[in-house]
Amino acid sequence: YERLTGVQYAHPVTRVTVHDGFTEQVVSYDYDLTTATMNAAGIAQFHEVKVVPGSSNPANHPYGYTQHYFVNGLPSGELNEPYPSVGNMATYPKLLLGSTYAVKTYNSSNTLVAEQQSAWRTFEKVVATEEATPRDLDIAYLSYPIQQTQIRDGVTQTTSNSFDTNSHGQLKTVTTTDSEGQNTIMRYFYPDDYSGSEFGSDLLRAAEMFSSVLVQEMEVDGTIVQKSETYFTEVNSVPLPTQEITYPTGDNSNTITTNYTYDAYGNLVERQTEGGVTASYLWGYQYTYPVVEAVGASYSNLTSQVSDMGALQDQEGSTLQTTLNGIRTGLPSAHVVPRTYDWLYG
């Protein structure tokens, strides 16, 4: 690779060439120095970077090129590609330094063929304090992607995200609209969206597992077309998902139920789908890694092939492989995938 020469501490890469023994691939880069900034460490932060595949000279682009626009802290008025009008990216720009907020794709004739634009919401939030005046350690600075717009082949598609207003900052809805009139909304429901014990939400709140998704809904043009519900129960005092009900058509006319079973260590040992195939799992290495996946066999079928589960936990390498091959032979009607692991030291 080659780098630009200059006074900045870190000189950007201008060309990368890869030889695989048969062919040579080259990508060149060009930087807009008029909108570059220097951070406190003297490292250049570039706003606009041109990426040209198949050419060692970025001025020549026989296969087209892309323009990438990065947040680097400059006011929007000083940029060739202004920040999106939605969101407030400039409020806390340091949260987004290095993030791409726009990508434009051009063909070899310099015609714009595709465009993508991303917008964020940045803000500060007091997360914990016992004092009247929050200290710096009590304040979190957060950023959320709130909108992405893509334009290709004359169709504009906009995806907007909304987040909850409590302290967890969870994704609540993803709304996708396009210029042809289709509107799709994905909705997500979490433990704090319920006040009782629905779906085991009380267990999750008590365990402070606030990010577990309990219900998902997909709505297309005003009609719910797909939905799923996940139920949690305690397994050795730990809330785990033990049942999932999927509504493929969005209503109660058709449901698919999947049940999950765990061992005493909280490892998944069986997944059984109503009217479908059962998959079971065997764990080794002191119950820390799955060593067998058996599709088409129950967990009881799987464990019947092991004479001593305790001894299995101490097996490694060729000894374990021999045991796993025996399990595969003993379950000819199942699709058995054995796994062994090598320890890495460093």
Side-chain angles (χ1 to χ4, degrees):
Y1 57 84
E2 297 178 357
R3 294 179 181 270
L4 288 172
T5 58
V7 297
Q8 62 264 33
Y9 177 76
H11 307 309
V13 173
T14 57
R15 184 173 64 188
V16 174
T17 303
V18 177
H19 302 269
D20 62 6
F22 300 96
T23 60
E24 177 181 289
Q25 297 179 346
V26 60
V27 179
S28 59
Y29 303 86
D30 192 22
Y31 302 82
D32 180 3
L33 301 181
T34 64
T35 55
T37 61
M38 303 287 286
N39 66 11
I43 298 177
Q45 300 170 150
F46 294 96
H47 165 74
E48 185 174 341
V49 180
K50 180 180 181 181
V51 180
V52 183
S55 174
S56 59
N57 181 358
N60 300 322
H61 35 79
Y63 306 104
Y65 61 95
T66 56
Q67 293 281 152
H68 298 254
Y69 300 88
F70 297 87
V71 181
N72 67 358
L74 281 176
S76 185
E78 298 181 19
L79 303 176
N80 297 325
E81 179 70 18
Y83 294 138
S85 58
V86 298
N88 61 337
M89 297 171 57
T91 304
Y92 298 105
K94 288 185 178 181
L95 294 176
L96 302 172
L97 289 178
S99 300
T100 304
Y101 72 88
V103 178
K104 294 185 175 183
T105 302
Y106 297 83
N107 61 19
S108 58
S109 301
N110 289 316
T111 301
L112 180 65
V113 295
E115 182 177 355
Q116 177 177 302
Q117 187 180 82
S118 302
W120 283 267
R121 175 191 173 209
T122 62
F123 60 99
E124 68 176 34
K125 188 177 187 67
V126 178
V127 293
T129 181
E130 297 179 357
E131 302 174 356
T133 302
R135 303 166 299 169
D136 289 343
L137 295 178
D138 299 322
I139 299 176
Y141 294 88
L142 307 173
S143 62
Y144 295 151
I146 60 172
Q147 184 173 287
Q148 184 178 84
T149 301
Q150 297 186 23
I151 304 173
R152 180 180 291 273
D153 297 329
V155 177
T156 300
Q157 183 182 79
T158 300
T159 300
S160 302
N161 303 324
S162 71
F163 298 82
D164 62 23
T165 56
N166 59 31
S167 60
H168 308 309
Q170 295 154 334
L171 179 65
K172 291 294 296 176
T173 64
V174 178
T175 303
T176 302
T177 59
D178 61 37
S179 55
E180 295 183 338
Q182 187 175 65
N183 184 70
T184 302
I185 303 175
M186 288 294 303
R187 296 188 180 93
Y188 304 90
F189 299 87
Y190 303 88
D192 269 353
D193 292 317
Y194 305 92
S195 58
S197 59
E198 301 94 328
F199 311 105
S201 56
D202 56 332
L203 304 176
L204 294 168
R205 290 192 298 271
E208 298 186 353
M209 298 170 63
F210 300 109
S211 296
S212 300
V213 178
L214 300 178
V215 177
Q216 298 184 54
E217 293 179 350
M218 175 186 286
E219 177 185 303
V220 177
D221 296 333
T223 301
I224 295 178
V225 298
Q226 189 171 331
K227 179 180 177 180
S228 67
E229 301 171 344
T230 303
Y231 294 78
F232 285 75
T233 56
E234 281 192 332
V235 179
N236 293 323
S237 302
V238 178
L240 293 173
T242 53
Q243 187 179 77
E244 181 180 32
I245 301 178
T246 302
Y247 303 81
T249 57
D251 55 30
N252 296 332
S253 63
N254 182 22
T255 62
I256 300 174
T257 300
T258 302
N259 294 304
Y260 303 93
T261 306
Y262 303 85
D263 62 16
Y265 301 92
N267 298 317
L268 178 66
V269 295
E270 187 176 275
R271 184 185 74 249
Q272 187 176 33
T273 301
E274 180 183 13
V277 177
T278 297
S280 58
Y281 306 88
L282 197 63
W283 294 71
Y285 299 90
Q286 302 304 318
Y287 299 97
T288 57
Y289 294 98
V291 294
V292 171
E293 177 187 25
V295 179
S298 67
Y299 184 59
S300 60
N301 294 149
L302 187 56
T303 55
S304 68
Q305 302 298 315
V306 182
S307 59
D308 189 341
M309 284 291 292
L312 175 69
Q313 303 308 313
D314 296 322
Q315 294 182 1
E316 297 181 15
S318 59
T319 302
L320 177 59
Q321 187 65 59
T322 299
T323 300
L324 302 184
N325 288 338
I327 295 174
R328 182 164 54 185
T329 302
L331 297 172
S333 61
H335 178 64
V336 178
V337 180
R339 294 185 176 93
T340 59
Y341 303 83
D342 292 327
W343 300 109
L344 298 179
Y345 301 92

